[in-house]
Amino acid sequence: MAEHKTEATKNFKPKEEIGLIEKIFEGTIWRSRFIVILAVIFGLIGAIILFVVASYDIAAIASYAYHGLFAHPHPKGFHENIVAAIIGAVDLYLIAVVMFIFAFGLYELFISHIDEAEGHGQILAINSLDQLKDKIAKVIVMVLVVNFFQRVLHTNFTTPLEMLYFAGSITALAVGLYFLSKVGKY
């Protein structure tokens, strides 16, 4: 019976044939993955900071809205300012979510599986770098969409052509979101 080795198995040596220096070197390389813990820790800190700042912004706009409701007439741009501030806070929340997904994904890929996450759905389950990039990309696209609408609120349209461009940009966003929702489902 002839022994058949594939290209992948030709390069592996039995444990008995691995030298001391090679063992130490490979162990060092493998353990160096723990440097990723810095990205995990600071990613989580960044996410928490963004959540706090966004929550502060919501509290500030709630105060502005409360005081504006009792000031007659409303301050100039009252409704636009409230909507823009809330959309800005949503933008910060979405970026914080990106940071959380990034931190959780790096931890699961490089450090260890998160046992606590078992049975709580698959939203943070990351099995490959491609899956991590896909989840982050989808949230980043949503951040860009929210940011687009925030900017549009403060845009003054003066010609019908500008309104047509606006309608076209919303259509392009809708088509892009439709195709983004189809990614990975087939």
Side-chain angles (χ1 to χ4, degrees):
M1 186 165 150
E3 201 173 303
H4 182 294
K5 289 188 175 182
T6 65
E7 192 65 35
T9 59
K10 285 181 185 177
N11 295 329
F12 290 111
K13 299 178 192 174
K15 281 189 176 183
E16 303 82 43
E17 292 181 25
I18 298 175
L20 179 63
I21 293 175
E22 188 176 359
K23 244 185 205 177
I24 293 170
F25 185 71
E26 288 178 359
T28 303
I29 289 173
W30 179 245
R31 283 184 292 280
S32 70
R33 76 186 194 285
F34 290 112
I35 194 73
V36 171
I37 198 74
L38 290 174
V40 172
I41 291 168
F42 288 105
L44 290 173
I45 290 171
I48 291 167
I49 289 169
L50 287 171
F51 274 119
V52 169
V53 169
S55 298
Y56 176 81
D57 289 351
I58 292 288
I61 200 64
S63 173
Y64 172 76
Y66 175 78
H67 294 298
L69 287 173
F70 298 109
H72 297 286
H74 293 311
K76 184 175 171 112
F78 179 71
H79 298 99
E80 294 84 2
N81 291 339
I82 290 174
V83 171
I86 290 173
I87 289 174
V90 167
D91 199 31
L92 289 177
Y93 285 132
L94 286 172
I95 295 169
V97 167
V98 168
M99 296 298 293
F100 268 120
I101 291 171
F102 175 73
F104 279 86
L106 285 180
Y107 187 86
E108 281 214 336
L109 287 174
F110 290 95
I111 309 297
S112 174
H113 178 72
I114 301 172
D115 298 325
E116 188 74 25
E118 286 296 316
H120 293 287
Q122 294 293 316
I123 193 161
L124 293 176
I126 308 290
N127 299 314
S128 69
L129 280 175
D130 284 336
Q131 195 178 26
L132 176 61
K133 288 190 310 189
D134 183 51
K135 286 186 179 200
I136 289 174
K138 286 180 179 178
V139 178
I140 287 174
V141 167
M142 291 309 301
V143 167
L144 293 174
V145 168
V146 168
N147 195 290
F148 170 78
F149 284 112
Q150 184 181 24
R151 292 178 190 279
V152 165
L153 282 174
H154 294 291
T155 303
N156 293 322
F157 300 106
T158 56
T159 66
L161 185 59
E162 289 174 345
M163 290 298 287
L164 184 64
Y165 289 152
F166 175 61
S169 64
I170 290 176
T171 303
L173 276 173
V175 169
L177 288 173
Y178 170 77
F179 284 116
L180 186 64
S181 72
K182 298 297 180 192
V183 172
K185 290 189 177 180
Y186 298 107

